[in-house]
């Protein structure tokens, strides 16, 4: 998933803004996450979050990426073709991206040493499994 490495850097910066104590900064980051990432490039978003979960050097960033991945993946996606059908972000990304995300998450589970991060990672993996 090395093609997600570059976008993961941009996403990590956005994650920092999402944790800001300043409401204005946080609101702008949430709007960007939803419009530019979730609605505009969902497969890049999920792939980059999975990359961060597995490969970021900071445990807090890995844990936050796991939580974001779980929350975003099962939100209602922007209307695809038929506005009457509800789709999740996870269901609209290609199967190849889903498989790559799963592989990255399982690799992260194997390598993760921080207990709280492992718990968040397990919650994300379980949510994916429950929605398959």
């Amino acid at each position: 998933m090395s093609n997600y490495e570059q976008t993961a850097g941009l996403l990590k910066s956005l994650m920092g803004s999402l944790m800001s104590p300043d409401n204005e900064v946080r609101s702008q980051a949430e709007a960007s996450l939803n419009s530019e990432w979730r609605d505009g490039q969902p497969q890049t978003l999920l792939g980059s979050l999975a990359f961060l979960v597995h490969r970021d050097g900071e445990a807090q960033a890995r844990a936050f990426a796991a939580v974001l991945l779980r929350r975003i993946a099962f939100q209602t996606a922007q209307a695809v073709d038929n506005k009457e059908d509800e789709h999740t972000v996870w269901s609209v990304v290609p199967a190849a991206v889903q498989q790559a995300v799963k592989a990255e998450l399982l690799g992260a589970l194997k390598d993760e040493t921080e207990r709280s991060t492992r718990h968040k990672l397990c919650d994300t993996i379980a949510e994916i499994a429950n929605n398959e």
Side-chain angles (χ1 to χ4, degrees):
M1 276 177 65
S2 61
N3 55 333
Y4 294 118
E5 188 170 2
Q6 192 171 36
T7 54
L10 297 171
L11 193 56
K12 186 171 180 185
S13 174
L14 182 65
M15 286 169 45
S17 297
L18 288 169
M19 293 187 287
S20 172
D22 184 342
N23 281 338
E24 183 66 28
V25 170
R26 205 170 47 253
S27 294
Q28 288 175 351
E30 289 170 2
S32 174
L33 180 67
N34 291 331
S35 64
E36 295 173 29
W37 290 90
R38 185 195 65 200
D39 297 339
Q41 44 189 339
Q43 59 195 37
T44 302
L45 174 60
L46 296 183
S48 297
L49 284 171
F51 180 88
L52 287 170
V53 168
H54 189 191
R55 304 185 189 264
D56 196 86
E58 300 174 25
Q60 182 180 12
R62 293 191 307 271
F64 190 42
V67 171
L68 277 178
L69 177 58
R70 183 178 77 240
R71 289 183 180 170
I72 291 168
F74 299 104
Q75 287 180 349
T76 302
Q78 186 179 25
V80 190
D81 296 329
N82 185 350
K83 293 182 181 177
E84 294 176 16
D85 291 338
E86 272 196 26
H87 296 283
T88 63
V89 173
W90 181 257
S91 69
V92 300
V93 298
V97 173
Q98 291 178 357
Q99 291 300 323
V101 167
K102 290 177 196 175
E104 199 73 38
L105 292 176
L106 291 176
L109 182 61
K110 179 180 74 75
D111 297 338
E112 186 56 59
T113 58
E114 294 289 326
R115 184 176 182 186
S116 66
T117 303
R118 283 182 66 84
H119 283 271
K120 290 175 176 91
L121 180 55
C122 286
D123 289 344
T124 301
I125 292 169
E127 187 74 24
I128 289 171
N130 287 335
N131 285 280
E132 289 277 298

